[in-house]
Amino acid sequence: MSSEVAPPFVAGNLALDFINTLFGTGADQHECLEEDASVVEWLCQAGVLTEAVTPPPAGLLQRSRALREEMRRLVISAKDGRAADPDLVNEVLERGHPVERLEWEPEKAAFSKKEERRDLSAESLLQPVVQALVKLLTEENLPLVKECEACDCVLLFHDQTKSHRRRWCSMASCGNRAKALAYRAKRKAK
Ligand SMILES: [Zn+2]
């Protein structure tokens, strides 16, 4: 397993991008979440955390990896119309739920509802990722959640193209590779 790999942000969905932090197959598998701090870094890169949390909450890495595994299982089974246990997702939903407050805003001369992160626990930090998953599983068209068609690529993405014909995690890598393979196969057949 190699380290120091930039996480791919190709899914068009926060939850799927999180699942994609472990990608590739066999000896070519890449792990983007190597330690607690890399989870914080990923959350910052994904834009759901505005400032680094130092030190990161204890157990963040372990929690993240277990959650990621469950999330992948939930997506795959939901696509197949099969049940799967959302234990960890429900735990994060419950323990990391943001706090809602009513606040007076002098500029607007009106009350407004504010949402704030409950604390700096792993569950609070992972809350946006889990919220994105819940939305994906309950509100989106699951056949449009796809796995890249390249045989050695397990990246998931949400196909938001108009034609719904997206087949690759990215055209630059898997798409072009598949095209080149098909071209070579065709030439050989001639
Ligand atoms: Zn791919």
Side-chain angles (χ1 to χ4, degrees):
M1 203 179 278
S2 45
S3 57
E4 303 275 330
V5 182
F9 284 96
V10 294
N13 177 279
L14 180 68
L16 297 178
D17 276 330
F18 184 73
I19 295 173
N20 287 344
T21 53
L22 180 67
F23 66 99
T25 52
D28 218 21
Q29 192 173 55
H30 299 288
E31 171 62 90
C32 305
L33 306 181
E34 293 280 7
E35 50 191 16
D36 291 336
S38 42
V39 179
V40 170
E41 198 182 315
W42 185 89
L43 290 168
C44 287
Q45 285 176 342
V48 291
L49 202 59
T50 46
E51 79 279 13
V53 176
T54 41
L60 180 61
L61 177 68
Q62 209 186 3
R63 203 110 190 88
S64 301
R65 286 186 174 176
L67 178 69
R68 181 178 64 188
E69 205 183 308
E70 180 178 290
M71 284 170 61
R72 173 174 272 276
R73 203 163 54 235
L74 293 179
V75 169
I76 302 294
S77 64
K79 273 178 67 62
D80 293 347
R82 282 183 292 112
D85 243 339
D87 289 345
L88 296 177
V89 163
N90 282 340
E91 220 171 279
V92 172
L93 281 178
E94 189 187 328
R95 293 202 200 155
H97 199 271
V99 182
E100 292 182 341
R101 311 154 51 101
L102 185 64
E103 257 178 36
W104 179 256
E105 289 199 66
E107 319 84 66
K108 290 189 193 158
F111 281 109
S112 69
K113 192 176 83 173
K114 289 267 162 64
E115 264 194 11
E116 276 173 16
R117 197 168 47 221
R118 178 172 295 274
D119 48 32
L120 292 176
S121 65
E123 288 82 6
S124 285
L125 297 185
L126 292 168
Q127 182 73 203
V129 172
V130 163
Q131 290 289 356
L133 180 81
V134 170
K135 190 163 189 288
L136 186 75
L137 293 180
T138 58
E139 294 175 25
E140 300 292 350
N141 192 359
L142 284 180
L144 295 183
V145 174
K146 302 176 182 176
E147 190 171 280
C148 178
E149 285 185 21
C151 61
D152 56 351
C153 183
V154 293
L155 290 177
L156 296 168
F157 59 87
H158 186 203
D159 182 357
Q160 287 157 314
T161 61
K162 249 194 193 141
S163 60
H164 300 324
R165 284 204 193 127
R166 183 174 165 191
R167 298 169 64 192
W168 320 106
C169 60
S170 89
M171 205 58 216
S173 58
C174 291
N176 283 334
R177 209 150 47 93
K179 267 190 176 169
L181 278 175
Y183 178 73
R184 274 207 296 276
K186 222 173 169 182
R187 277 180 52 131
K188 235 182 179 175
K190 268 184 193 166

